[in-house]
Amino acid sequence: MCGIVAYIGQQQAAPIIIKGLKRLEYRGYDSAGISLLNGGLNVYKKMGKVAELEALVKDKSLESTIGIGHTRWATHGEPNDINAHPHQSNSGELTLIHNGIIENYASIKQDLLSKGFTFKSETDTEVLVNFIESIKTERQCSLARAVRIALNAVVGAYAIVIMSADNPNQLIAARKGSPLVIGIGKGEFFFASDATPIIEYTNEVVYLNDFEVAIVENNKLTITDLKEVEKTPYIQTIEMELEAIEKGGYDHFMLKEIYEQPRSIQDCMRGRLNAAEGRLVIGGIREYANKLVNSERIVINACGTSWHAGLVSEYFIEEFCRIPVEVEYASEFRYRNPIINEGDTVFAISQSGETADTLAAIELAKSKGAIIFGLCNVVGSSISRVSHEGAYTHAGPEIGVASTKAFTAQLTVMFMIALKMAYKRGTIADSTYRSMLVEMENIPLKVEKALQLNEQIEEIAANFKDATNFLYLGRGYNFPVALEGALKLKEISYIHAEGYPAAEMKHGPIALIDEDMPVVFIATKDSGYEKIVSNIQEVKARKGKVIAIVTEGDDEIHKMADHTIEVPHTLEPLMPLISVIPLQLLAYHIAIMRGCNVDQPRNLAKSVTVE
């Protein structure tokens, strides 16, 4: 959500910033802007895509070796040119870009109005930059000190970068609750919301922690806390390849990432699983491994697609380990009075590792003495740093806003964790354990085979691109897959869709079924097969249109359904890794046929870093 890019060094800043903003387009935004120090602070901003900002500055003088840029996702104030970032202080001395929300901005604004400040926009960000200026002026202090004083007084979340007309050799940044990474080059520094704009120039980065302020001045990086206590920067080397954030010949990032799943699942297992040796190792869980294995209760916190992965994980853990599991919407967990006891086990699942609600939920659980295990894709992310232990999915960058490979990667790692726990607890037979290891190694090939159904799925999509509603039904392990399939369709095609347990159809949704209602059944051969066959018959009796995901060779459902998509057979707990593939492709093709932007769906952001 929102994107920050800033640069200070010897190169021209504008091309680096604009290219970086394009790299961050996947995060979701409604306007873009840039500020450069060039005979004063010049600000250019425009509602719409980065391409429109490029057109705006095409004939402008952009000579500068320092600058800040931003893509905005509206929170305070509607999307327009005025509310776009960067925002300038009344005097014109300061410009600031900001991700997050300043919750007490209204009271600060009233105080500034009483002092004669005026405001052009409706944003909390313009309030913040003027608040910093007022402190700097009143206290006759340095900009860095004014920033610290201001941030001690604000309530909310922020990642900011600020630039002053008085100092062409200085950029100041700070964060709390919103991600910010600093790239360290040779005589130059890069600031960004994530590493994608930076990797082209350097692989050495510093991830700023909450309540830290970074000052780059005269080619030196200094980091302090809000009390001016200096911190030693922890420089990490990132392994991301530039090719990983390019489309690689695909029309869209989403399609590329769907097709990457055989490899991303394999990458999740690499170095962890060896069926021939009966070996399964989760390297990120060491010190707290015994605590995890001996858990009496597990709580999973997540949002969106990660929540669906959490539901499947509940099935894994309860079936294999015989431990009760609760799966919580992180956005609800913190706003009630959850029962968390000291030593409870809490999993946090998040692709970005920056999901604000999930972070807040695990901070609450951690304050009550819970042991936090993080499951993230992004190395160095906030959740990975606040967790006691955990694991990375190693799925590679996911640029498409609608998660695809993140879902299967999360399932892969949670399956391995559950299997390892069960083996250690003695709740699974050795023969079952080894057969599951063997089958897990076969999953990438079976996903590859499911992807070969793409043309058939595209043909099916053409029949339903104009539908206004969809119903997705599944049982057991495939119920969360039904939820995920419905979410994918909603996210990228803007068709209303709902996922339900198939047996719940009779408790309400069956009233919706008629000849215009497509119903997608995940009906693979498993323990609930006969029941779901009956559900399909009930839909057909009411003239519903049935699209069925079935196991290869299934003749019974083929005779009943309007369309069948045959996927390879696997063990029941592993079927979600395969049955979700056709649903991802179906949503993709329907959205494309409807003319939707599948990589940047309206109103959505890749990483929801504000509450």
Side-chain angles (χ1 to χ4, degrees):
M1 183 175 296
C2 300
I4 281 175
V5 183
Y7 174 80
I8 183 169
Q10 296 83 40
Q11 299 187 62
Q12 289 300 306
I16 293 171
I17 292 170
I18 289 174
K19 183 184 284 188
L21 294 179
K22 287 182 176 179
R23 295 242 190 260
L24 292 177
E25 285 187 301
Y26 76 94
R27 295 174 67 90
Y29 70 106
D30 49 57
S31 57
I34 187 172
S35 178
L36 301 167
L37 186 49
N38 177 0
L41 288 177
N42 296 303
V43 177
Y44 309 100
K45 50 189 185 177
K46 188 72 177 172
M47 179 180 168
K49 297 298 182 184
V50 176
E52 294 178 61
L53 174 65
E54 279 189 291
L56 176 69
V57 301
K58 184 178 180 181
D59 300 320
K60 308 291 185 184
S61 174
L62 304 178
E63 295 287 322
S64 180
T65 57
I66 180 174
I68 59 178
H70 191 266
T71 51
R72 176 182 187 249
W73 192 88
T75 52
H76 292 85
E78 66 182 41
N80 59 33
D81 293 352
I82 294 172
N83 288 329
H85 295 213
H87 285 281
Q88 203 158 8
S89 62
N90 274 192
S91 70
E93 179 190 340
L94 306 177
T95 56
L96 181 142
I97 49 179
H98 165 224
N99 291 352
I101 293 176
I102 305 302
E103 295 174 11
N104 61 336
Y105 84 102
S107 60
I108 296 171
K109 185 175 184 177
Q110 285 302 313
D111 182 58
L112 292 172
L113 287 168
S114 70
K115 295 176 180 178
F117 281 83
T118 59
F119 297 90
K120 299 176 182 178
S121 76
E122 304 167 81
T123 68
D124 54 340
T125 304
E126 189 183 10
V127 172
L128 180 57
V129 71
N130 280 302
F131 186 39
I132 292 169
E133 179 167 272
S134 72
I135 293 169
K136 184 175 182 292
T137 302
E138 290 170 9
R139 304 202 183 193
Q140 293 294 296
C141 63
S142 68
L143 177 58
R145 178 162 291 179
V147 168
R148 292 188 194 98
I149 294 169
L151 296 181
N152 271 307
V154 301
V155 176
Y158 55 80
I160 65 168
V161 184
I162 189 167
M163 182 167 62
S164 170
D166 292 343
N167 194 340
N169 299 307
Q170 182 191 70
L171 279 180
I172 297 175
R175 73 153 280 180
K176 178 203 166 191
S178 288
L180 197 61
V181 58
I182 305 168
I184 302 173
K186 295 181 179 179
E188 58 187 355
F189 294 86
F190 308 81
F191 297 78
S193 297
D194 63 40
T196 53
I198 291 173
I199 191 62
E200 185 173 347
Y201 309 100
T202 180
N203 64 351
E204 292 193 337
V205 301
V206 172
Y207 292 96
L208 212 57
N209 293 311
D210 277 355
F211 306 108
E212 288 186 342
V213 178
I215 305 105
V216 171
E217 188 167 17
N218 299 322
N219 201 30
K220 180 186 177 184
L221 171 65
T222 302
I223 295 177
T224 75
D225 63 17
L226 294 183
K227 295 179 180 178
E228 295 193 46
V229 176
E230 191 166 335
K231 304 289 185 179
T232 301
Y234 174 52
I235 300 173
Q236 299 186 46
T237 301
I238 51 176
E239 298 178 358
M240 186 189 303
E241 299 291 337
L242 184 60
E243 292 78 8
I245 58 173
E246 301 290 351
K247 289 181 182 175
Y250 288 89
D251 290 337
H252 301 92
F253 283 112
M254 182 180 180
L255 187 61
K256 173 177 178 271
E257 288 154 10
I258 290 172
Y259 271 87
E260 283 177 342
Q261 287 174 105
R263 188 182 73 194
S264 59
I265 292 170
Q266 186 65 56
D267 287 344
C268 290
M269 295 187 289
R270 183 171 289 113
R272 291 169 167 167
L273 188 154
N274 186 314
E277 298 176 4
R279 179 170 57 84
L280 183 55
V281 177
I282 309 297
I285 302 177
R286 292 190 179 92
E287 182 181 347
Y288 293 89
N290 288 335
K291 165 59 189 170
L292 179 59
V293 168
N294 295 309
S295 297
E296 296 182 1
R297 170 178 175 252
I298 291 174
V299 177
I300 298 175
N301 266 292
C303 298
T305 287
S306 296
W307 187 80
H308 297 155
L311 285 179
V312 181
S313 302
E314 176 186 16
Y315 290 22
F316 290 155
I317 296 169
E318 291 194 339
E319 179 174 350
F320 302 161
C321 307
R322 309 310 299 155
I323 300 172
V325 179
E326 300 167 26
V327 184
E328 298 272 4
Y329 281 114
S331 54
E332 286 294 314
F333 181 79
R334 63 172 302 209
Y335 288 110
R336 55 187 182 81
N337 190 15
I339 300 173
I340 295 290
N341 299 312
E342 188 167 346
D344 276 354
T345 301
V346 175
F347 274 91
I349 305 178
S350 168
Q351 189 282 141
S352 67
E354 302 292 350
T355 309
D357 288 316
T358 307
L359 266 168
I362 64 174
E363 284 169 357
L364 172 63
K366 196 173 181 181
S367 72
K368 294 177 178 290
I371 306 301
I372 310 299
F373 293 89
L375 182 65
C376 307
N377 188 36
V378 180
V379 176
S381 57
S382 296
I383 288 175
S384 69
R385 285 182 282 155
V386 302
S387 299
H388 291 98
E389 286 189 328
Y392 288 114
T393 56
H394 300 305
E398 188 178 65
I399 306 300
V401 167
S403 281
T404 51
K405 67 176 181 175
F407 179 71
T408 51
Q410 289 165 352
L411 293 188
T412 300
V413 177
M414 288 302 294
F415 176 84
M416 291 190 293
I417 290 173
L419 201 57
K420 182 70 173 181
M421 289 170 61
Y423 184 73
K424 290 288 188 181
R425 287 172 64 86
T427 53
I428 190 170
D430 186 70
S431 59
T432 304
Y433 171 74
R434 289 181 178 274
S435 67
M436 285 188 173
L437 292 181
V438 170
E439 185 58 15
M440 188 69 234
E441 283 192 340
N442 292 329
I443 289 296
L445 289 175
K446 294 186 176 185
V447 170
E448 187 75 55
K449 193 170 183 182
L451 288 167
Q452 294 171 11
L453 302 168
N454 182 53
E455 289 186 10
Q456 177 198 355
I457 294 167
E458 186 174 7
E459 291 174 4
I460 293 171
N463 294 290
F464 298 102
K465 65 181 178 64
D466 296 320
T468 55
N469 296 282
F470 266 75
L471 192 60
Y472 287 72
L473 301 174
R475 284 176 177 263
Y477 281 98
N478 280 323
F479 159 53
V481 177
L483 295 177
E484 176 62 13
L487 177 62
K488 286 285 103 45
L489 190 71
K490 282 184 280 196
E491 285 180 311
I492 63 172
S493 75
Y494 317 139
I495 295 173
H496 175 255
E498 294 296 335
Y500 274 90
E504 286 296 302
M505 177 184 66
K506 296 187 291 293
H507 297 276
I510 198 167
L512 299 171
I513 294 171
D514 59 19
E515 61 273 15
D516 297 320
M517 171 67 85
V519 183
V520 180
F521 279 92
I522 301 92
T524 53
K525 286 201 171 177
D526 54 33
S527 58
Y529 178 76
E530 296 302 328
K531 297 292 185 183
I532 210 160
V533 167
S534 298
N535 297 140
I536 292 173
Q537 290 170 332
E538 289 168 340
V539 169
K540 290 306 298 176
R542 290 157 180 81
K543 299 182 180 180
K545 302 297 183 185
V546 171
I547 305 166
I549 313 299
V550 302
T551 306
E552 283 179 331
D554 187 327
D555 293 326
E556 185 175 359
I557 291 179
H558 182 74
K559 294 173 185 175
M560 293 185 285
D562 297 274
H563 305 275
T564 54
I565 300 168
E566 296 187 15
V567 298
H569 175 266
T570 188
L571 297 173
E572 187 172 346
L574 293 172
M575 183 52 78
L577 288 160
I578 298 173
S579 61
V580 75
I581 303 298
L583 305 185
Q584 294 172 348
L585 289 169
L586 181 67
Y588 171 81
H589 287 300
I590 289 176
I592 293 299
M593 291 172 187
R594 290 168 66 89
C596 301
N597 185 340
V598 296
D599 285 339
Q600 298 169 36
R602 69 187 183 202
N603 303 330
L604 293 180
K606 180 63 180 172
S607 177
V608 183
T609 57
V610 294
E611 296 175 38

